[in-house]
Amino acid sequence: FNNIAILVRAIFQTREFEERFLKIGLAYRIIGGTKFYERAEIKDCVAYLRLIYQEKDDLAFDRIVNNPKRSIGESTTKQIHQYSKENSISLEIASKKLIELNLIKPKTKIGLNSFLILIKKWRNDLNIKRINHVKLLQFVLDESGYSAMLKNKKDLENENRLENLKELLNAMKEFDNLESFLEHVSLATSVDQEWDGEKVNMMTMHAAKGLEFETVFLPGWEEG
């Protein structure tokens, strides 16, 4: 396996191979990049979806409450954590209570409140309007300002991130509902592989510079 490489044009293309290899138990490593579900923008999207699906998911709340930026600084985050701990409630409920008690600074309050309203709206989309999970993520990306944040910074890294998000939406189409997709992600991210040992190598053409392999696969070179 160490002498086998899959070279792709763009990093988002490793996703389908990763999914397949996880399914059949074939070990792989990504050279010069990160595994698909470990990429920051993918983790952000998954955190949004996890929080919509389960309001007690404090880890997800923590990751996205100020992502994109909503003027919610470290001191506010600490305050929410403190209140949540003291009252044995989730971070989301703690935030609502602190707003009701008028204990959040005015500028921060606007950002936090708009975030909570959006989460509520998306839950409504999912549970009451029965919007499917793919469409739901499209709403989240547009309405949270996450897509705009990436589009506004025009550089190669952000173009790659946008490609990864498109690939994530593709991946989600393979699942019947949000629950089965989230289960899949938690399985995919819990498979912890050591770097060493016999593994198929995956990388972009760019990352392959100066490396040699006996057997090389070149998928996805055609346009479209």
Side-chain angles (χ1 to χ4, degrees):
F1 287 158
N2 283 340
N3 287 315
I4 298 175
I6 298 174
L7 306 186
V8 293
R9 285 182 301 115
I11 196 71
F12 75 88
Q13 291 173 300
T14 64
R15 198 268 311 172
E16 287 193 69
F17 294 98
E18 292 189 55
E19 303 268 17
R20 183 71 189 143
F21 286 11
L22 285 168
K23 204 171 263 178
I24 61 174
L26 188 65
Y28 68 90
R29 65 171 74 83
I30 305 261
I31 294 179
T34 312
K35 292 182 174 182
F36 187 77
Y37 287 109
E38 299 288 343
R39 293 170 196 165
E41 59 282 6
I42 302 299
K43 282 173 130 175
D44 292 342
C45 289
V46 170
Y48 269 105
L49 293 170
R50 273 177 30 200
L51 185 63
I52 293 164
Y53 185 69
Q54 167 58 271
E55 67 172 46
K56 292 188 179 76
D57 198 326
D58 286 348
L59 280 174
F61 181 93
D62 234 1
R63 185 174 180 99
I64 53 167
V65 65
N66 197 36
N67 184 11
K69 296 267 183 279
R70 299 185 180 92
S71 309
I72 301 163
E74 212 171 294
S75 60
T76 308
T77 314
K78 271 186 188 156
Q79 188 184 359
I80 297 169
H81 272 271
Q82 189 69 30
Y83 194 84
S84 140
K85 209 176 193 171
E86 284 165 7
N87 298 281
S88 303
I89 50 178
S90 70
L91 295 180
E92 185 180 337
I93 292 171
S95 307
K96 286 177 188 163
K97 297 272 186 207
L98 287 167
I99 287 173
E100 282 164 22
L101 297 166
N102 211 14
L103 294 171
I104 303 272
K105 288 183 231 136
K107 193 182 173 189
T108 305
K109 188 176 171 179
I110 295 167
L112 186 57
N113 208 21
S114 69
F115 172 70
L116 294 169
I117 289 165
L118 279 173
I119 293 289
K120 189 180 175 183
K121 184 245 174 213
W122 296 323
R123 272 193 201 127
N124 204 16
D125 288 341
L126 178 71
N127 300 320
I128 295 165
K129 293 187 182 170
R130 298 279 174 212
I131 280 167
N132 89 3
H133 52 298
V134 183
K135 192 93 185 116
L136 178 70
L137 180 57
Q138 286 170 326
F139 283 169
V140 170
L141 289 169
D142 291 342
E143 294 167 5
S144 67
Y146 197 93
S147 287
M149 169 183 79
L150 294 183
K151 283 173 186 160
N152 291 340
K153 299 181 200 157
K154 286 196 169 25
D155 59 28
L156 185 63
E157 198 178 334
N158 283 300
E159 276 170 34
N160 282 337
R161 285 181 173 154
L162 286 165
E163 288 295 345
N164 281 333
L165 295 184
K166 278 186 207 158
E167 189 57 27
L168 178 65
L169 288 162
N170 274 337
M172 288 173 73
K173 288 174 190 164
E174 293 165 24
F175 297 87
D176 294 335
N177 52 40
L178 184 57
E179 185 181 11
S180 59
F181 171 70
L182 291 174
E183 268 173 23
H184 169 75
V185 175
S186 66
L187 279 174
T189 46
S190 66
V191 177
D192 193 26
Q193 293 184 345
E194 296 290 313
W195 180 261
D196 301 325
E198 288 286 326
K199 290 183 173 43
V200 174
N201 302 287
M202 291 188 211
M203 69 206 83
T204 60
M205 293 295 298
H206 183 71
K209 214 164 134 188
L211 301 177
E212 285 182 21
F213 301 95
E214 286 171 22
T215 310
V216 178
F217 295 89
L218 308 169
W221 278 26
E222 73 287 352
E223 190 68 45

